[in-house]
Amino acid sequence: MRIDILSSLPHLLNEPFTTSILAKAIKKKIVEIHIHDLRDYAKNNKKQIDDYSYGGGGGMVLMIEPIANCINKLQQEREYQSVIFMTPDGKKLTQSTCNELSQQRNIIILCGRYEGVDQRIRDIFVNKEISIGDYVLTGGELPALVLCDSIIRLLPGSMSNSSCALSDSFQDNLLAPPIYTRPSDFKGHKVPDILLSGDTTKISDWKEEQAYKKTEQKRPDLLDQ
Ligand code: ADE
């Protein structure tokens, strides 16, 4: 899979791809990440990428040309299944969107900044608008990283235990059951006996039951879906 991220603050995006599962996925060539600085696509000498909004109103708006130049160049080189704009007014990110995107070959993620991007970018180029929640951040870079992380961990080979991603909370509209590791007894707080029994059928039934109970208590809305 190839992910191209377009940003006016590209240095915000680098670090998470240099450690742990994301770095390993890149090293194993499971995913390619290409980060593009929108200023490199600005036409004028000042490398201007934002301007005042027509009709007044506070704040600056990301201009159409640098973004269009970058997206056009990428789309001439290969086909992209999704051009995603990270925005608080987009569709709220869910596990099923992550699953869907993890099946695609090439995606572009555009990060907003300032008051947003020129609406024509959304009209002409973008086919998915994604929000990571009902709150407003200073830009789309952190949301883009959230999206990348949630997709990359689903790619075959990126996690050492491939069954892990499938047993995540939300994969079947259930929260994951509680998990434990050594010691089996911490100052009288014991791991449930069943997990130490070695009986795999009983353990699996217990986990399923716990997943239901936890979902009922914490996120009953998921059970209605
Ligand atoms: N940009 C600013 N806030 C955002 C959010 N909640 N989701 C996606 N992009 C954003």
Side-chain angles (χ1 to χ4, degrees), residues 139-166:
E141 283 76 10
L142 297 180
L145 290 170
V146 167
L147 182 63
C148 287
D149 188 294
S150 68
I151 294 171
I152 294 168
R153 63 189 293 286
L154 295 172
L155 299 176
S158 72
M159 306 254 279
S160 48
N161 180 355
S162 61
S163 65
C164 258
L166 293 174

Side-chain angles (χ1 to χ4, degrees), residues 95 153 164-177 211 214-215 222:
Q95 189 62 49
R153 63 189 293 286
C164 258
L166 293 174
S167 60
D168 287 336
S169 286
F170 305 111
Q171 276 298 6
D172 46 11
N173 273 343
L174 287 178
L175 300 180
K214 190 164 156 187
T215 311
L222 290 176

Side-chain angles (χ1 to χ4, degrees), residues 1 8-9 40 56 71 107 111 142 150 153 159-160 177 225:
M1 180 179 198
S8 54
L9 288 174
D40 293 341
I71 296 179
I107 67 173
C111 306
L142 297 180
S150 68
R153 63 189 293 286
M159 306 254 279
S160 48
Q225 286 172 24

Side-chain angles (χ1 to χ4, degrees), residues 3 20 81 85 96 146 166 209:
I3 305 178
S20 190
Q81 286 73 47
F85 177 49
S96 84
V146 167
L166 293 174
E209 188 189 311

Side-chain angles (χ1 to χ4, degrees), residues 85-93 110-114 129-144:
F85 177 49
M86 303 310 300
T87 171
D89 61 16
K91 182 171 174 255
K92 215 182 286 178
L93 183 62
L110 170 63
C111 306
R113 272 271 143 195
Y114 316 111
E129 301 190 328
I130 295 179
S131 160
I132 62 160
D134 288 343
Y135 44 86
V136 180
L137 302 169
T138 52
E141 283 76 10
L142 297 180

Side-chain angles (χ1 to χ4, degrees), residues 173-214:
N173 273 343
L174 287 178
L175 300 180
I179 52 168
Y180 301 87
T181 186
R182 285 185 290 184
S184 61
D185 184 341
F186 175 72
K187 300 178 181 175
H189 297 270
K190 292 189 179 154
V191 172
D193 286 338
I194 187 99
L195 293 178
L196 310 176
S197 70
D199 185 330
T200 50
T201 316
K202 279 194 182 154
I203 290 174
S204 139
D205 289 348
W206 179 87
K207 285 187 177 176
E208 203 177 314
E209 188 189 311
Q210 291 296 316
Y212 267 103
K213 276 192 183 156
K214 190 164 156 187

Side-chain angles (χ1 to χ4, degrees), residues 5-80:
I5 313 176
L6 282 51
S7 164
S8 54
L9 288 174
H11 56 274
L12 272 183
L13 294 161
N14 294 322
E15 194 63 22
F17 296 109
T18 64
T19 5
S20 190
I21 289 173
L22 303 191
K24 280 190 205 144
I26 293 169
K27 203 167 165 210
K28 288 202 238 168
K29 301 201 183 309
I30 292 167
V31 68
E32 272 179 44
I33 303 289
H34 297 265
I35 296 170
H36 305 272
D37 184 345
L38 286 173
R39 278 175 217 285
D40 293 341
Y41 296 85
K43 279 226 177 85
N44 61 22
N45 291 341
K46 286 192 290 172
K47 300 257 169 214
Q48 185 185 0
I49 55 168
D50 60 332
D51 211 334
Y52 295 103
S53 63
Y54 277 123
M60 305 296 276
V61 179
L62 282 172
M63 297 162 74
I64 189 164
E65 286 103 335
I67 298 172
N69 291 343
C70 184
I71 296 179
N72 279 331
K73 176 177 176 285
L74 292 172
Q75 285 181 330
Q76 274 160 23
E77 291 165 356
R78 67 195 64 76
E79 190 188 337
Y80 286 88

